[in-house]
């Protein structure tokens, strides 16, 4: 594959020599997961070996995902199951920073100290509710919720849970008009926060197909409530701040590795990290070239420092 680098020297193929020089100046590598480490339930060929070699070289690894459908522990279990290693026991999830966990941290900061137990209406998964409850925030709304009654008068007459201080929107396969209506009713109450786990518009699946992503659900709630959500996941800086606080990161010695220009790479650029695009997922070199050649300054930011066909390309740089 040809070099994609432009006149600014960005998006250069990461050869073994370049990778050795880069890794000599790096302590921490942050990886997206879907499309980078695995596709579905299958590891990207060579990816487990690459991460094993990085660990052997003393590099600290973190996993930063916009997926809100798994807890930290569930992600750690998948990493181990697919051969990526990681800590065991009570600290098994400490390398993982998903939007469910980071949304819980955000809400704990915003809702604590109010004098009443914090509670959120959750359009999302049991994992999102579990992460909230782990930090002391009760949740309601998870699972199917049918419309009650024959029309708007009945829908508005349905009682709301008392004490709900936030509406949290994650990936919710049970999203419905009934839930949207209830979310809007909560958001009309004074001080109720609106939080979205991420704005990914599509979820890529194996074989090149895709389904609607969480961003579609967040936009629906924003439109109905005429409110803008606080977004937790990439490219929002908040998720990086969660990692930086727990890891004590030096951005100058940290690399972000991902497959999406508009989330992974943009987060890295925004936070002053070195960036590597892997071509095993969503974004392509054609997408990079389009951003490099664009007159739009926001698109110009979505260009990585380096690219690899796969993170397995790091292996030659890690061999003795």
């Amino acid at each position: 594959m040809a070099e994609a680098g432009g006149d600014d020297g960005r998006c250069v193929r990461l050869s073994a020599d370049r990778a050795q020089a880069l890794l000599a100046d790096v302590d921490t590598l942050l990886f997206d997961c879907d499309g980078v480490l695995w596709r579905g339930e299958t590891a990207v060929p060579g990816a487990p070996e690459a991460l094993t070699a990085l660990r052997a070289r003393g590099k600290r690894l973190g996993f930063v995902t916009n997926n809100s459908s798994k807890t930290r522990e569930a992600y750690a279990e998948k990493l181990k199951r697919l051969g990526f290693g990681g800590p065991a026991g009570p600290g098994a999830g400490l390398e993982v920073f998903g939007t469910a966990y980071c949304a819980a941290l955000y809400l704990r900061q915003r809702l604590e100290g109010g004098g009443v137990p914090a509670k959120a209406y959750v359009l999302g998964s049991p994992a999102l509710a579990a992460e909230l409850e782990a930090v002391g925030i009760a949740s309601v709304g998870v699972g199917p919720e049918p419309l009650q009654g024959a029309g708007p008068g009945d829908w508005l007459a349905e009682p709301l849970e008392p004490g709900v201080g936030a509406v949290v929107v994650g990936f919710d396969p049970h999203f419905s008009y009934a839930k949207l209506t209830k979310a809007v009713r909560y958001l009309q109450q004074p001080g109720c926060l609106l939080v979205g786990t991420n704005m990914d518009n599509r979820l890529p699946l194996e074989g090149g197909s895709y389904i609607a992503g969480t961003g579609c659900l967040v936009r629906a709630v924003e439109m109905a409530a005429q409110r803008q959500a606080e977004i937790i996941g990439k490219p929002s800086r908040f998720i990086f701040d969660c990692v930086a606080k727990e890891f004590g990161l030096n951005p100058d010695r940290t690399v972000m590795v991902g497959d999406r220009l508009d989330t992974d790479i943009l987060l890295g650029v925004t936070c002053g990290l070195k960036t590597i695009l892997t071509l095993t997922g969503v974004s392509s070199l054609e997408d990079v070239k389009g951003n490099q050649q664009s007159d739009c300054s926001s698109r110009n930011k979505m260009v990585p420092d380096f690219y690899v066909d796969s993170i397995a390309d790091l292996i030659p740089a890690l061999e003795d």
Side-chain angles (χ1 to χ4, degrees), residues 157-202:
E158 186 179 357
L160 295 177
E161 283 276 345
V164 169
V167 171
V168 185
V169 187
F171 182 73
D172 187 357
H174 300 294
F175 188 86
S176 65
Y177 188 79
K179 288 190 167 188
L180 180 60
T181 299
K182 188 165 284 188
V184 169
R185 292 177 65 199
Y186 282 121
L187 289 167
Q188 291 176 62
Q189 297 179 344
C192 187
L193 303 173
L194 175 56
V195 177
T197 59
N198 68 82
M199 292 303 295
D200 294 4
N201 59 347
R202 294 177 176 178

Side-chain angles (χ1 to χ4, degrees), residues 111-126:
L111 296 180
E112 68 183 357
V116 295
K119 188 185 296 183
Y121 180 63
V122 175
L123 291 84
S125 66

Side-chain angles (χ1 to χ4, degrees), residues 138-153:
S139 66
V140 295
V142 173
E145 189 164 333
L147 277 171
Q148 302 293 332

Side-chain angles (χ1 to χ4, degrees), residues 52-295:
T52 298
L54 286 166
R55 291 186 191 277
R57 291 295 184 96
K59 303 303 181 184
R60 179 169 50 181
L61 307 183
F63 304 96
V64 185
T65 173
N66 276 358
N67 191 323
S68 64
S69 65
K70 289 185 174 68
T71 62
R72 298 180 96 184
E73 291 74 18
Y75 252 101
E77 190 278 328
K78 183 170 184 177
L79 285 160
K80 280 192 169 298
R81 187 173 74 249
L82 295 183
F84 293 99
L94 296 180
E95 294 181 330
V96 180
F97 296 85
T99 51
Y101 171 70
C102 293
L105 296 183
Y106 177 83
L107 284 177
R108 184 176 65 186
Q109 293 174 12
R110 293 294 305 272
L111 296 180
E112 68 183 357
V116 295
K119 188 185 296 183
Y121 180 63
V122 175
L123 291 84
S125 66
L128 178 52
E131 292 287 17
L132 293 173
E133 289 167 7
V135 299
I137 299 170
S139 66
V140 295
V142 173
E145 189 164 333
L147 277 171
Q148 302 293 332
D154 295 323
W155 306 336
L156 294 176
E158 186 179 357
L160 295 177
E161 283 276 345
V164 169
V167 171
V168 185
V169 187
F171 182 73
D172 187 357
H174 300 294
F175 188 86
S176 65
Y177 188 79
K179 288 190 167 188
L180 180 60
T181 299
K182 188 165 284 188
V184 169
R185 292 177 65 199
Y186 282 121
L187 289 167
Q188 291 176 62
Q189 297 179 344
C192 187
L193 303 173
L194 175 56
V195 177
T197 59
N198 68 82
M199 292 303 295
D200 294 4
N201 59 347
R202 294 177 176 178
L203 294 179
L205 304 176
E206 296 175 74
S209 58
Y210 59 85
I211 58 174
T214 301
C216 303
L217 312 186
V218 177
R219 286 284 188 232
V221 177
E222 287 182 328
M223 179 72 74
Q226 292 295 285
R227 295 268 300 274
Q228 186 169 354
E230 291 291 333
I231 304 302
I232 301 302
K234 300 171 291 186
S236 167
R237 189 179 183 97
F238 183 80
I239 196 166
F240 173 74
D241 289 342
C242 291
V243 184
K245 183 176 181 181
E246 294 195 17
F247 271 16
L249 290 183
N250 176 355
D252 291 336
R253 297 187 61 84
T254 303
V255 173
M256 180 71 215
V257 185
D259 70 311
R260 294 184 68 132
L261 297 173
D262 59 344
T263 56
D264 307 315
I265 302 307
L266 183 55
L267 175 76
V269 171
T270 301
C271 297
L273 316 180
K274 300 173 180 68
T275 53
I276 301 173
L277 174 71
T278 176
L279 301 177
T280 48
V282 173
S283 297
S284 67
L285 288 183
E286 287 303 313
D287 296 327
V288 176
K289 290 176 183 177
N291 289 346
Q292 287 176 314
Q293 295 167 4
S294 175
D295 294 329

